[in-house]
């Protein structure tokens, strides 16, 4: 039976970056990925903070070479209100721009880059069960021919995203505090001609009659775009017809999107994801840790998923490298607590978005410019920068700010 130091489940962003960091530190790591790349994944708008993790792993060139759509900010729209954040004006140091990416291509680039640095990735190999064997785990994997084989590993990193392999197998699933929300989305040919439209920014617009319902428009560099809508299930249930009919009706109800997309073509079927929020009892345990979406997933509104996936990969790699060098490590203080710091910052922002406090802040025109730069920092992914007062006491400061913006 093959013996490993670390087995990583999944070759998405967290698996690719983590395996590269571990392999570079001479740790015996293997990635098993159940699909064959390129494959579709949702999560196409990156945040500037994510670039520093790519840089650190020596993977930035692979992404820069991808000719992806440059991204420098976000635009929010609600009825006649419009608010623009330029990420280069953020409070925190670090990259101020990033990309909007078709994930099929982006994830393949990262995985190929990992392989080019020496990482082994086995595609169409699916982890199906795990059992303890003393200090090691025996993992059963189904290969591309449907045959099972076993691997012994000292440590498992679950980077399986919405596959949530270890949460399911080890009974770690916990109900998310967020209510169920669903999403309808597809790739379109946007044909946008409006001169005031900025392809370098994600557009988040809010339904005119229901401020809990929002849309994303993520343009790509080839004239196509990702278009999506997020709402609670009862909102979608009030429409009839096919997914495509419901999608079109929802788009036509948001006047600025309707105008922007009046020449758009919709050649692709509409996809749906239901109840995407997820949580776990613990992010780590006896010889395992959960990366990215395999741990907690909040909500897509601030495009934080890939950044959190990268941050988790970086923290986990740092700990395993430290351990490999013979040092004691503590997954609670070196992984779960620091990771949660930024996740909790985003969590407060997501809650405040849906109850309206953050929308008041975003559309308030007279916000002090230094405060706006601090909010901008978090929207750019710098949710772990404890020098930012809105990271340190997020809830309290946001409440004060929302009161000012409301009055
Ligand atoms: P993934 O990218 O999901 O990769 C996991 C991999 O594991 C997959 O390739 C899968 O095939 C493999 N796998 C699964 N099970 C097994 C198994 N048993 N054995 C082997 N391999 C397995 N994030 C952003 O940053 N920006 C956005 O704009 C954004 N928009 C989103 C919109 C919606 C509607 C949703 C729901 C999410 C969005 N996200 C966004 C979040 C983003 O999709 C995820 O956070 C991100 O993909 C997580 O990366 P990951 O590496 O954890 O997992």
């Amino acid at each position: 039976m093959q013996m490993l130091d670390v087995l990583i489940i999944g070759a998405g962003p967290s698996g690719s970056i983590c395996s590269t960091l571990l392999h570079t530190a001479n740790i015996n790591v293997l990635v098993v990925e159940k699909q064959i790349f390129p494959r579709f994944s949702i999560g196409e708008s990156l945040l500037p903070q994510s670039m520093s993790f790519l840089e650190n792993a020596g993977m930035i060139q692979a992404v820069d070479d991808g000719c992806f759509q440059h991204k420098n900010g976000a635009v929010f729209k609600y009825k006649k209100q419009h608010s623009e954040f330029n990420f280069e004006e953020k409070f925190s140091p670090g990259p101020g721009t990033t990309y909007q990416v078709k994930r099929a291509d982006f994830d393949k680039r990262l995985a190929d880059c990992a392989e080019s640095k020496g990482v082994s990735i086995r595609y169409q190999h699916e982890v199906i069960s795990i059992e303890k064997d003393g200090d090691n785990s025996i993992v059963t994997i189904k290969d591309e021919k449907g045959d099972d084989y076993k691997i012994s590993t000292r440590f498992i990193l679950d980077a399986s995203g919405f596959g949530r392999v270890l949460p399911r197998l080890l009974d770690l699933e916990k109900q998310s505090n967020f209510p169920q929300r669903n999403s309808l989305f597809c790739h379109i040919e946007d044909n946008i001609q409006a001169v005031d439209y900025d392809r370098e920014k994600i557009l988040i617009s809010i339904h005119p009659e229901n401020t809990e319902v929002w849309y994303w428009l993520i343009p790509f560099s080839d004239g196509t775009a990702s278009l999506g809508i997020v709402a609670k299930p009862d909102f979608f249930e009030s429409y009839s017809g096919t997914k495509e009919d419901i999608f079109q009706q929802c788009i036509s109800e948001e006047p600025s999107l309707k105008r922007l997309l009046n020449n758009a073509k919709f050649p692709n079927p509409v996809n749906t994801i239901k109840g995407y929020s997820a949580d776990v009892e613990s992010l780590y345990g006896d010889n395992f840790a959960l990366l990215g979406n395999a741990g907690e997933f909040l909500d897509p509104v601030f495009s934080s998923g890939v950044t959190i996936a990268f941050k988790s990969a970086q923290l986990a790699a740092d700990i395993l490298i430290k351990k490999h060098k013979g040092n004691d490590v503590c997954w609670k203080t070196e992984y779960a607590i620091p990771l949660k710091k930024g996740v909790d910052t985003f969590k407060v922002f997501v809650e405040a978005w849906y109850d309206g406090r953050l929308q008041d802040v975003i559309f308030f025109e007279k916000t002090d410019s230094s405060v706006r730069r601090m909010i901008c920092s978090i929207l750019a992914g710098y949710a772990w920068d404890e020098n930012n007062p809105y990271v340190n006491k997020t809830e309290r400061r946001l409440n004060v700010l929302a009161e000012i913006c409301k009055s």
Side-chain angles (χ1 to χ4, degrees), residues 8-16 32-35 37 39 41-47 103 107 125-128 158-165 168 183 185 202 214 216 218 230 273 276 291-294 297 299-300 302-309 312:
I8 299 186
I9 310 171
S14 56
S16 286
V32 286
E33 163 56 57
K34 86 171 174 188
Q35 299 194 60
F37 281 19
R39 54 91 178 96
S41 172
I42 194 69
E44 297 149 320
S45 192
L46 305 182
L47 299 180
R103 285 283 302 277
D107 289 15
H125 284 224
E126 178 180 1
V127 168
I128 50 174
D158 185 359
S160 65
F162 291 113
R164 303 179 63 73
V165 173
R168 281 188 293 104
S183 177
F185 55 90
I202 183 174
W214 60 274
W216 77 72
I218 301 172
V230 171
I273 291 189
Y276 46 68
L291 306 183
N293 271 22
F297 182 68
D299 191 273
F302 299 119
S303 308
S304 56
V306 171
T307 303
I308 293 172
S312 66

Side-chain angles (χ1 to χ4, degrees), residues 144-271:
E144 70 275 25
K145 295 193 197 93
D147 297 330
D148 291 356
Y149 66 97
K150 292 184 190 295
I151 279 183
S152 173
T153 184
R154 286 183 213 278
F155 205 91
I156 305 174
L157 288 172
D158 185 359
S160 65
F162 291 113
R164 303 179 63 73
V165 173
L166 290 189
R168 281 188 293 104
L169 293 177
L170 303 179
D171 207 13
L172 300 169
E173 299 269 23
K174 187 171 111 181
Q175 179 90 31
S176 166
N177 286 335
F178 289 112
Q180 184 182 339
R181 290 194 172 83
N182 299 345
S183 177
L184 291 182
F185 55 90
C186 73
H187 284 180
I188 62 168
E189 291 166 19
D190 62 74
N191 292 321
I192 297 173
Q193 272 126 32
V195 283
D196 58 345
Y197 177 66
D198 183 355
R199 288 193 87 79
E200 300 205 340
K201 293 187 174 62
I202 183 174
L203 171 63
I204 303 287
S205 54
I206 300 166
H207 191 282
E209 310 301 335
N210 184 340
T211 55
E212 277 197 56
V213 177
W214 60 274
Y215 307 78
W216 77 72
L217 180 64
I218 301 172
F220 300 123
S221 55
D222 61 358
T224 65
S226 172
L227 177 64
I229 173 165
V230 171
K232 285 187 178 156
D234 58 351
F235 177 83
F236 291 118
E237 280 158 16
S238 62
Y239 299 85
S240 56
T242 63
K243 270 186 297 187
E244 283 70 21
D245 297 334
I246 296 170
F247 193 64
Q248 289 292 346
Q249 289 173 60
C250 292
I251 303 302
S252 68
E253 288 174 7
E254 204 290 90
S256 64
L257 265 188
K258 189 181 172 190
R259 200 171 46 250
L260 211 51
L261 298 176
N262 64 345
N263 288 319
K265 291 203 167 58
F266 293 77
N268 300 308
V270 169
N271 292 307

Side-chain angles (χ1 to χ4, degrees), residues 35-36 63 70 97 108 139 141 163 173 180 205-206 218 220 231 242 262 267 282 284-285 320 335 362 383 385 401 405:
Q35 299 194 60
I36 189 150
V63 175
H70 193 251
T97 62
K108 177 152 172 45
V139 181
I141 298 166
E173 299 269 23
Q180 184 182 339
S205 54
I206 300 166
I218 301 172
F220 300 123
T242 63
N262 64 345
S282 175
Y284 65 94
L320 288 170
Y335 183 70
I362 283 173
D385 177 9
L401 185 58
C405 297

